Amino acid sequence: MRRTPTILTGATAAALLLTGCTGTGGTGDGIDVVVTTELIKNWTDIVGGDRVTVDTVVPPGGDPHSYEPSPNDAAKVARAELAFTNHLLLEDHPLIKLFDANVPDGVPNLSLAENAEPYGAKLMPLVENISLDTVWLGFGVRGETETRSAEIGVRLTEFTGPGQAAMFLTDAFGQPEIYWDTADGLAENDVITLPPNAHTHVNWAFTEPGVYTLTAAATLTDNGATTDAGTATFTYAVGVNPREVRPGATVLDGGHADLTVDLATGGFTVRDDDRGELAPDTVVIDVPTKAIEAVPEGEPFAFLGPAGEEVYQLPQAVLGKHVHGEIDPHLWQDVANAKAYVQVIAAALIELDPDGRDTYEANRDAYLAELDDLDAEVAAAIATIPEADRQLITTHDAFGYLADAYGMQIAGFVVPNPAAEPSAKQVEALTETIADLQVRAVFVEPNLHARASVLRQVAEDQGVQVCTLHGDALPQDAPTYIDMMRQNASELSRCLGGDQ
């Protein structure tokens, strides 16, 4: 039984469709609320007080972007009388599917981020670092689906070229996950899947120079039915002049572009950040000679050829599985947005348990006052940093809201070449960014060790402090949202402000 998320459609929860339950929950210890992250648990515990029992799926210190749910998690979700996720593709798609498949029929299943805007939340586009000297080419999906649990599959159906081609993703630990590989022939498993309104980053590898064509067919699986969603052929100029392959075509040779399934039209488009919408048959994708990389050591990369052999590769640019939408889901890094989350939670609890209205409203109002104080405290701490030093370099693109709300600048985050090790050119670029901006410190997240190693090394080589910021997970020694934001503000002030 699939359950789609409930969306609040106004500044109150009046439009929330509920079962009419006004009891205190199936356990006798309060309404059973199941949430994805410890941040959401913290807010729900505070608003709900002793009228709720809150269980979280992602464990303390876990990363919602990559958490893999277990059968025990499914049983936990199935007991819910109210369910909260962040969504906006913060959580990995299997986790969202777990909620939508197991939240009982009639039980509210809310995406907080999607419901926060009517309560004053400010949503921002996700800005990505595209400082590569080749095109950053991924996959995308746009268009409406019946459920957020829908999956869009993009299968390789035809291939031409002088050598072999592969499309794969490298995870946060440097291991490849192969989606397309022509070396073993075309097969049903030559497919990559995406959730609705998302995009992902991948590597493209080619073994010989020349012109390649790859034909992709998309399908939409939604609410138990699978339908065709379009076919297109894409042309790659590998180590040859792309302007001679198809004279007059648009050459993709830099920046960020997605091969995008458009569910509304039933076809593909190439969405380029600089040039907008492009028809696939008017585009040539440039894979230049400067993109040559050596095949890494180790059996996992043997599908590319013998270790040390050269292949042409467009890198995925962001290490690890990085599926996301166009809106930055980390709203809570602006305290004003956390206030909106709290109001969504309170509205849902009041609808479900109107007898508890006075409790929920009192808890909400008291906590909102604490958040007002916190907002001022964070702003004051960051104001102690000289304006020229408010440059933020992190492991993870999770701090755009913090920068926007409190007058900082996102100077960069880790963008290694994920084929195994970052190239010397990429390390040099990161080093130059740190040196040119004369940053006093860089910031790593404790739950993202794999992404932090390059940043730590470059910072240490430059004599720059390595400090800590908490993005998606609460600090173990300060396990509340207020503690986390205080700790972040204090660390920013300590590391970037004052005398060093």
Side-chain angles (χ1 to χ4, degrees), residues 21-110:
C21 169
T22 59
T24 57
T27 66
D29 296 322
I31 295 170
D32 287 321
V33 186
V34 179
V35 306
T36 47
T37 71
E38 53 185 337
L39 272 165
I40 300 174
K41 181 182 189 305
N42 180 220
W43 294 318
T44 308
D45 278 331
I46 290 169
V47 176
D50 59 9
R51 297 186 72 90
V52 303
T53 300
V54 188
D55 211 349
T56 182
V57 172
V58 180
D63 181 7
H65 297 285
S66 60
Y67 178 73
E68 296 183 6
S70 70
N72 287 338
D73 293 328
K76 185 185 298 183
V77 172
R79 295 192 294 269
E81 294 173 280
L82 178 61
F84 292 135
T85 59
N86 184 84
H87 201 46
L88 281 182
L89 298 174
L90 174 85
E91 297 93 348
D92 201 12
H93 198 47
L95 184 52
I96 291 300
K97 291 176 67 178
L98 174 87
F99 269 67
D100 290 355
N102 292 283
V103 170
D105 193 19
V107 166
N109 182 14
L110 294 177

Side-chain angles (χ1 to χ4, degrees), residues 181-441:
D181 184 10
T182 64
D184 56 2
L186 302 183
E188 284 297 307
N189 62 353
D190 281 320
V191 62
I192 184 170
T193 59
L194 284 172
N197 292 310
H199 84 161
T200 191
H201 314 283
V202 294
N203 302 286
W204 301 85
F206 303 87
T207 60
E208 300 291 340
V211 178
Y212 294 73
T213 64
L214 279 69
T215 300
T219 56
L220 167 66
T221 301
D222 192 12
N223 216 12
T226 299
T227 56
D228 292 334
T231 300
T233 298
F234 302 96
T235 301
Y236 300 76
V238 179
V240 297
N241 188 341
R243 288 161 181 83
E244 293 180 355
V245 171
R246 183 182 289 159
T250 299
V251 175
L252 297 186
D253 55 6
H256 178 204
D258 282 333
L259 310 183
T260 301
V261 181
D262 188 337
L263 299 176
T265 63
F268 280 83
T269 185
V270 179
R271 299 184 70 184
D272 182 87
D273 281 358
D274 296 324
R275 286 162 284 204
E277 304 282 335
L278 302 168
D281 60 1
T282 67
V283 168
V284 174
I285 300 158
D286 184 25
V287 189
T289 301
K290 64 185 176 182
I292 289 176
E293 298 278 355
V295 175
E297 298 281 348
E299 180 61 29
F301 290 93
F303 71 98
L304 294 174
E309 187 170 288
E310 291 185 338
V311 294
Y312 294 78
Q313 179 175 292
L314 297 180
Q316 75 192 49
V318 178
L319 184 64
K321 184 173 287 188
H322 200 71
V323 177
H324 60 76
E326 294 183 357
I327 300 299
D328 187 341
H330 306 89
L331 277 71
W332 58 87
Q333 290 292 335
D334 178 351
V335 176
N337 285 344
K339 291 176 61 180
Y341 275 34
V342 168
Q343 293 176 80
V344 175
I345 291 168
L349 287 169
I350 290 167
E351 280 289 330
L352 184 62
D353 178 23
D355 291 344
R357 174 184 290 271
D358 290 346
T359 296
Y360 301 136
E361 289 183 344
N363 291 346
R364 176 200 65 196
D365 293 346
Y367 189 54
L368 290 176
E370 291 186 55
L371 293 180
D372 283 334
D373 292 341
L374 174 67
D375 193 25
E377 186 178 333
V378 172
I382 292 176
T384 66
I385 305 169
E387 188 171 350
D389 293 330
R390 295 178 197 169
Q391 305 287 342
L392 198 51
I393 295 179
T394 67
T395 52
H396 175 213
D397 48 343
F399 299 98
Y401 289 99
L402 184 147
D404 180 72
Y406 303 107
M408 299 197 72
Q409 177 70 36
I410 300 294
F413 46 85
V414 178
V415 257
N417 180 341
E421 295 291 336
S423 69
K425 183 179 294 185
Q426 288 166 325
V427 173
E428 181 182 357
L430 186 59
T431 302
E432 288 176 356
T433 297
I434 292 171
D436 290 347
L437 294 176
Q438 297 182 330
V439 298
R440 296 178 178 233

Side-chain angles (χ1 to χ4, degrees), residues 14-25:
L16 182 61
L17 301 179
L18 300 171
T19 62
C21 169
T22 59
T24 57

